[in-house]
Amino acid sequence: AAASVLGGILGNKSSKKAANAQVAGMQQGADAIKGYYNDAKGYLSPYMDMGTQGNSRLMGLLNDPNSIADSAAYKWRLNQGMGALDNSAAARGMLFSGAHSKDAMQYGQGLASQEYDNEWNRLMGLSTMGQNSAMGLSQMGMGAGNSLANLYSGMGNARASSYAAQGQNNANMIGGIGGLIGGLFGNR
């Protein structure tokens, strides 16, 4: 009976120690998963920010097509093209002619249309990059969430197993004590 009691006490300590070790290991895993997810979030954040900026500028372009004239790319191409047109007209002695004005107007209109399309495509590229980054992070988050759920479930199972073992050990101790008492009084 004394051995049952001592065995139960030692069994309870071992069961608690084993459960705590399992839970600690699983908690380390959970912390690592959270850390990796946060690292990935930090790595993808600039790309998601660029996508957000691209979306905002894309909406601005849709709402005001004339805003293309404020684009640095448009201004640069316009200056380069007009400079070339002016140089060509000057070389022919037609710098201030009606034909040169007509050429300049056609060039500007064509450039605006081309640069609008170019800007649209650039902004869509940024928007798509942001969308893909957000989707990738979302998938990582779901994977991390599933892994964390499994770890936390394992922690609960480890504790439950420990409690069940402690309960069995306690029952064995009580049975041993009962046997000891019964033996003492039964021998009289």
Side-chain angles (χ1 to χ4, degrees):
S4 282
V5 171
L6 182 58
I9 291 170
L10 293 175
N12 280 347
K13 285 185 179 184
S14 295
S15 180
K16 283 181 188 178
K17 191 173 180 180
N20 287 339
Q22 278 184 298
V23 168
M26 290 176 183
Q27 186 60 55
Q28 284 178 332
D31 292 343
I33 289 169
K34 290 176 189 176
Y36 294 140
Y37 176 77
N38 287 332
D39 287 349
K41 190 174 173 183
Y43 299 143
L44 291 173
S45 181
Y47 301 102
M48 291 189 308
D49 290 346
M50 286 176 69
T52 299
Q53 291 172 12
N55 285 339
S56 176
R57 289 174 47 202
L58 193 58
M59 288 306 298
L61 189 61
L62 282 171
N63 290 331
D64 181 12
N66 290 325
S67 68
I68 194 64
D70 297 330
S71 155
Y74 173 80
K75 288 177 184 178
W76 183 82
R77 284 187 65 195
L78 180 64
N79 288 336
Q80 294 297 310
M82 291 304 292
L85 282 173
D86 287 349
N87 290 340
S88 173
R92 291 179 285 134
M94 300 181 66
L95 184 59
F96 298 107
S97 70
H100 174 62
S101 295
K102 181 180 174 187
D103 289 344
M105 187 172 66
Q106 285 177 340
Y107 174 76
Q109 288 174 345
L111 176 65
S113 177
Q114 284 178 346
E115 199 51 43
Y116 183 92
D117 290 343
N118 291 343
E119 183 72 359
W120 176 269
N121 290 333
R122 281 191 292 269
L123 295 175
M124 282 302 292
L126 290 175
S127 177
T128 300
M129 180 176 48
Q131 179 185 18
N132 290 342
S133 298
M135 286 174 31
L137 187 61
S138 174
Q139 290 171 349
M140 283 185 232
M142 288 189 318
N146 287 336
S147 295
L148 289 171
N150 289 335
L151 285 171
Y152 291 141
S153 177
M155 288 180 198
N157 289 338
R159 290 184 196 272
S161 293
S162 172
Y163 297 147
Q166 289 174 34
Q168 184 62 48
N169 289 336
N170 290 339
N172 290 343
M173 283 190 301
I174 291 171
I177 292 170
L180 177 63
I181 293 172
L184 289 176
F185 288 111
N187 288 338
R188 289 189 173 185

